Amino acid sequence: MSDIVFISDLHLAPERPEIIRLFSNFVDEIAAQADTLYILGDFLEYWLGDDDPAPALAPVFNKLIELHEKYTTRVFFMHGNRDFLIGNRLAERCHFTLIDEPYSLKLQGKNALLMHGDTLCTDDVDYQKLRRMVRNPAWQQQVLAKSLKERIQLAKELREISQQSTTAKAEYIMDVNQQATDRVFIENDIDLLIHGHTHRPAVHHKLINNHETTRVVLGDWYKAGSYLRVKDTSDLVLQTYQ
Ligand code: MN
């Protein structure tokens, strides 16, 4: 029997020790039993490069190591818009496998696709422009060549830009665009899409081109944890963890 768990948008940061503790308990209670854990981005609130020793996040990284060594759960990691600078060095340190998006797999006999979700928010033109910049390998190389101190400053500036523009935007702009989302189902010939990013947890059922589809939106980890657990025949239900 397969047992697969999906999470995203934990936004783990030293400033929120209670969520780090929640994740730690989640590993012991839930992820430990699973064969595979998929982390679909924004696991960390920010990441400035694998050369940052980030001692305050050691409890998080040690828990991932424990998940691998003690519980033998495989961990697959997809970048979000906060932690896209995570690289192979951290992956090796924490024993996870980095995966590109979109990532396809079979789930309960269905064709499924995993994404972070930010590329579905096409109404947010400014954000998509920023995304193209920061996900460009040349830009990333340039940034990683800067000192850690300079990168801390740059991250602060990027966060401020993003906060200013977020407060000025209508709610719908921050959600997925329906046409872009339908297109993902059609072009990839999938039945099931699992993503995070919007912080609007839900299971959507929709008929697209006469084809029944399911879209699971994982929730964030602010007030409580959110996860999807898929066993062989289980219903797709979002669960809260606290
Ligand atoms: Mn995100």
Side-chain angles (χ1 to χ4, degrees), residues 32-99:
Q33 304 163 10
D35 313 313
T36 311
L37 172 70
Y38 284 94
I39 300 172
L40 301 186
D42 289 359
F43 179 64
L44 303 179
E45 175 71 1
Y46 53 90
W47 187 246
L48 301 169
D50 292 359
D51 56 333
D52 183 352
L57 288 171
V60 173
F61 299 147
N62 290 338
K63 212 63 204 176
L64 287 176
I65 294 167
E66 199 183 324
L67 189 55
H68 169 82
E69 287 180 348
K70 184 173 163 193
Y71 300 123
T72 67
T73 300
R74 285 179 306 169
V75 181
F76 292 96
F77 193 110
M78 179 180 283
H79 290 129
N81 53 301
R82 301 302 196 111
D83 49 15
F84 55 83
L85 283 179
I86 286 177
N88 290 326
R89 200 163 134 193
L90 190 70
E92 275 167 36
R93 176 178 161 194
C94 299
H95 301 282
F96 57 72
T97 303
L98 283 168
I99 53 173

Side-chain angles (χ1 to χ4, degrees), residues 2 108 110 229-237:
S2 80
Q108 299 183 328
K110 292 176 182 147
R229 186 169 189 174
V230 181
K231 296 185 184 176
D232 285 337
T233 54
S234 58
D235 287 337
L236 298 177
V237 182

